[in-house]
Amino acid sequence: MANIMIVDDSPIFRRSLREILESMGHRIVKEAEDGREAVRTYTDNIDLVTMDIQLPGIDGIEAVRHIRALNSEATIVMISSVEQRSRVYDAIKLGAKHYIIKPFTDEKVCEVVNAVLSNPRNGSSLPIASSQTPVQLAPAWKEEPLERFPKKKEPLRLEIPHMPNIPFELVRKDGRSVLTLQRHIVDSNVRLLCSCLQGLLYFRKMKYVIEVWEPIRHEEGQLLLIDFVSAVRQRNGTAAIVTSDIGYFAQLKAQLQNGIYRTYAEIEW
C-alpha cells in the first residue's frame, strides 16, 4: 500500500482517481487543487504524486520542478489530455516517472501505478521513466506514444449504452447541453452519472443545464452534481440547475448561490 497525493483542479477527476487508487489498496493522504498547494503540502512520506499538467497558478510542470527540488527521489506520474501530450516530455526531463493520458481507464491507471511502485528505484528502469536519458525519449512522442508499452490483448471498443438503465438524457437545446435527470439516483446508477459528468468536463467554455425531475437524495450523487457545476465554472463554462421542488431549490441555492432556477424558461443566458 502506498501513500498517494492527487493533484487536479477538477473535483470529479480527483474523485475518479481516488476511487481507482483506493480500489487498488492505496491510501490517498492528500489532495490539491493547484500546483502551489501541491508544493506547499508535499511531504517525504508521500510515495506517489499524480500531477495534472494544466493547473491554475503554478502548472504541473513547475510543480514537478519544485517538488523534485524538495525531494530528488519524489515519484510523480503526470496526468495529461491528448492535446497537452507534448508537454509531458518537459515533465519527464524534470524527473517525472510516467504519464497517463486522459480519458484514462481503470486498467491504464493500475498499469502505470504498479509500474512505478513495483521498482525500488521508483520505476527508473522504464524507458520513459528515466530522467537521466531524455534524448532517448523523443521517439515516443511521434505517431505511437504508447508503443513502448505492452499492447492490450483486446482493443478498446465503444459500446452503445442500454438506454433503459440510464437515469438521464443528454440533448442539445437553444445552444446549450441539457442533461435531464429523469429518475432517482441510487447505488445502481450513480456510476453512470459520474461517467457522464466526467466526459462532459473534457469540453471547455460550454453551457450546461441540468434539469432535475426528482431531488437527488443519494449522497455521492449530490456531491457529483455540486462538483460538476463548480468544475464547469472553473473551466470558464456556464452551468445551471433547474428544479421545481421548492425544498431542493432552497438547498441548491444555499450550496451554489447562483445559477439555480425553478423553470427552464427563467434562464437568460
Side-chain angles (χ1 to χ4, degrees):
M1 179 178 67
N3 292 329
I4 299 178
M5 169 190 266
I6 297 174
V7 186
D8 198 301
D9 61 335
S10 166
I12 290 182
F13 283 129
R14 291 201 307 273
R15 185 187 303 274
S16 180
L17 267 176
R18 182 171 68 247
E19 289 181 353
I20 296 171
L21 294 168
E22 286 181 342
S23 72
M24 297 172 64
H26 300 304
R27 181 192 297 119
I28 308 305
V29 294
K30 293 184 181 179
E31 294 186 15
E33 297 182 357
D34 56 57
R36 191 180 303 278
E37 182 183 2
V39 174
R40 179 175 57 81
T41 59
Y42 175 82
T43 57
D44 289 345
N45 71 324
I46 294 175
D47 303 307
L48 173 67
V49 179
T50 66
M51 179 75 69
D52 191 28
I53 282 188
Q54 185 164 324
L55 295 169
I58 296 177
D59 67 10
I61 305 297
E62 281 302 305
V64 170
R65 187 194 307 275
H66 288 296
I67 289 176
R68 292 282 292 180
L70 293 172
N71 178 6
S72 62
E73 300 299 320
T75 301
I76 305 173
V77 170
M78 306 306 297
I79 309 293
S80 167
S81 60
V82 173
E83 62 268 21
Q84 299 163 343
R85 189 171 54 189
S86 61
R87 299 197 65 205
V88 176
Y89 182 54
D90 296 329
I92 296 292
K93 290 191 294 184
L94 290 172
K97 301 297 182 181
H98 219 312
Y99 66 96
I100 298 170
I101 299 294
K102 296 178 181 178
F104 49 75
T105 63
D106 292 23
E107 292 77 11
K108 176 52 67 176
V109 173
C110 292
E111 174 189 336
V112 171
V113 170
N114 286 336
V116 298
L117 291 178
S118 63
N119 191 296
R121 294 176 63 89
N122 293 330
S124 61
S125 62
L126 293 171
I128 196 164
S130 173
S131 60
Q132 304 300 320
T133 55
V135 176
Q136 297 176 10
L137 298 176
W141 301 105
K142 294 184 179 180
E143 294 295 327
E144 300 291 340
L146 300 181
E147 64 185 359
R148 294 185 178 220
F149 299 97
K151 295 182 179 179
K152 293 181 179 179
K153 295 180 180 180
E154 295 294 331
L156 294 175
R157 299 183 186 278
L158 293 176
E159 296 183 4
I160 298 176
H162 187 48
M163 303 307 286
N165 292 333
I166 297 180
F168 53 79
E169 180 181 59
L170 182 63
V171 299
R172 288 286 292 174
K173 180 180 177 182
D174 305 325
R176 308 162 180 150
S177 294
V178 181
L179 177 67
T180 304
L181 300 183
Q182 303 160 319
R183 303 206 311 268
H184 287 294
I185 299 300
V186 294
D187 286 343
S188 61
N189 60 32
V190 70
R191 285 188 175 276
L192 289 172
L193 176 62
C194 181
S195 296
C196 176
L197 297 179
Q198 181 169 302
L200 294 177
L201 283 182
Y202 288 113
F203 297 95
R204 284 184 172 274
K205 301 180 180 179
M206 292 290 287
K207 295 180 179 180
Y208 294 111
V209 176
I210 303 174
E211 292 186 309
V212 185
W213 290 4
E214 301 287 348
I216 300 179
R217 304 304 183 194
H218 191 278
E219 183 178 356
E220 277 195 306
Q222 177 67 8
L223 287 173
L224 285 171
L225 181 64
I226 300 301
D227 285 351
F228 175 75
V229 172
S230 301
V232 168
R233 293 173 179 175
Q234 289 174 14
R235 294 171 67 82
N236 300 317
T238 306
I241 300 176
V242 176
T243 178
S244 59
D245 185 281
I246 297 176
Y248 194 50
F249 174 86
Q251 176 187 340
L252 292 171
K253 197 77 172 176
Q255 290 179 291
L256 293 170
Q257 279 74 55
N258 55 65
I260 313 302
Y261 302 92
R262 295 292 306 277
T263 66
Y264 183 89
E266 293 178 8
I267 302 174
E268 298 179 351
W269 40 266

